[in-house]
Amino acid sequence: MDKCDTWDVLPVLSDEKSRDTELLPAYAAPIIEKRETTRLVKELSLIYPLPGLQHIKRVRACKDKSSPHPLEVIVCLARDVAKGVLPADLLRSQSFDSSGLGEPFLVEIPASPPLTRPQFEKDKQVTSALRGQLFTADQKAKMQGYMTAAVQAAKSEQIVAVGHDCKRGAQPLHHAVMVCIDLVACGQGGGAYNYEKYPACQFSSSEIFRNGCNSKETGQPYICTGYDLYVTREPCVMCAMALVHSRINRVFYGAPSADGALGTKYKIHCQKDLNHHFEVFKAVMLNACEALHKK
């Protein structure tokens, strides 16, 4: 069995957040005469507009703290400079008075807007997760307990701790996650199916999962509101969408799946047009889960 210090909990992010920030090469110049700043910005915007880069502040503090000039201005994007034109020639124009500016130099500017404050706070969590610092040792120990239960369940034809895969019977759509969600609904007085033929499918067996959940419930939750799901294998598209509709809180899975919908083939939880989103973490007890599905 895997030990807590042999695996990391990795977030499954959208492609947008997974990519490094794209930087564009541009030319900037120091502002020698501060009183000329307003005029310079206005005229440069006419000569060298920056379409699609409204998030860029044309004037910014000089990054070189040793510079005698505290401000610098973005002149233009490097891609907009004609081949063979030298940086010193960028400011030489009959229609532009470059007095007040120093010699241009290359810089890099972000191609997309910065994160909003909530996004920034979320991004800090992501960075911590990628460094293996988001979850404490005690939290990882609890995860190991939950996933161990899922692994043991899988060895007795159970895929998740609260139910087993029933798709070999009369219901081919009864994947483990679907059964799990329906069992939660049964425990709330609902549910669509009867599991008398499957004695291992008992909602009472999910108590450790419900007690481990960190939701702040007010009244009766909607199916899986605030619940965390631990599953040994990455869910498929059908199961992923069922998790969206059931309002799951977080999903932790061990092994990836070739048709997995939470990171491998698709990232259902990252689709912006869905009315519910949840966090996904992978590689929990990866070795044990991979060994389980190789059998």
Side-chain angles (χ1 to χ4, degrees), residues 73-280:
V73 63
I74 303 298
V75 176
C76 65
L77 295 178
R79 67 190 183 195
D80 295 335
V81 178
K83 187 176 181 180
V85 175
L86 299 176
D89 296 330
L90 293 174
L91 303 177
R92 293 172 184 169
S93 172
Q94 293 181 352
S95 60
F96 177 61
D97 180 5
S98 63
S99 59
L101 286 180
E103 291 295 316
F105 56 92
L106 272 174
V107 295
E108 290 184 323
I109 58 177
S112 56
L115 298 173
T116 63
R117 187 65 192 181
Q119 289 173 326
F120 176 73
E121 294 298 331
K122 192 73 172 180
D123 190 60
K124 287 199 299 184
Q125 290 185 346
V126 168
T127 301
S128 296
L130 291 173
R131 293 175 178 172
Q133 300 171 344
L134 181 58
F135 299 103
T136 65
D138 288 342
Q139 288 173 324
K140 285 189 67 176
K142 287 183 179 180
M143 289 178 192
Q144 177 148 333
Y146 298 150
M147 189 60 81
T148 297
V151 170
Q152 293 302 321
K155 290 179 179 179
S156 60
E157 296 189 354
Q158 286 181 274
I159 300 301
V160 292
V162 296
H164 65 76
D165 190 335
C166 303
K167 63 184 179 183
R168 295 180 182 177
Q171 295 292 339
L173 300 183
H174 275 186
H175 294 198
V177 172
M178 303 293 287
V179 172
C180 175
I181 293 171
D182 194 53
L183 284 170
V184 174
C186 288
Q188 296 174 355
Y193 299 96
N194 186 305
Y195 297 95
E196 290 182 356
K197 295 182 180 180
Y198 307 99
C201 294
Q202 297 179 8
F203 181 68
S204 59
S205 65
S206 68
E207 288 297 324
I208 60 170
F209 288 83
R210 293 196 296 146
N211 292 338
C213 177
N214 63 355
S215 66
K216 297 180 180 178
E217 298 176 0
T218 55
Q220 184 71 12
Y222 178 78
I223 310 183
C224 296
T225 300
Y227 284 28
D228 291 345
L229 173 71
Y230 287 80
V231 60
T232 61
R233 194 172 187 178
E234 181 184 359
C236 65
V237 172
M238 177 183 70
C239 293
M241 284 305 301
L243 290 168
V244 171
H245 292 302
S246 67
R247 303 296 189 268
I248 198 71
N249 180 45
R250 297 184 299 183
V251 174
F252 297 83
Y253 70 83
S257 176
D259 61 347
L262 297 182
T264 300
K265 190 171 184 179
Y266 305 104
K267 295 181 179 179
I268 295 296
H269 62 296
C270 297
Q271 297 299 312
K272 294 181 179 179
D273 55 346
L274 296 179
N275 62 358
H276 176 72
H277 297 89
F278 53 88
E279 295 179 325
V280 176

Side-chain angles (χ1 to χ4, degrees), residues 15-34:
D15 293 338
E16 181 181 14
K17 290 187 176 180
S18 298
R19 290 193 296 263
D20 292 333
T21 302
E22 182 184 358
L23 298 175
L24 299 174
Y27 283 101
I31 297 178
I32 300 173
E33 294 291 341
K34 191 174 181 180

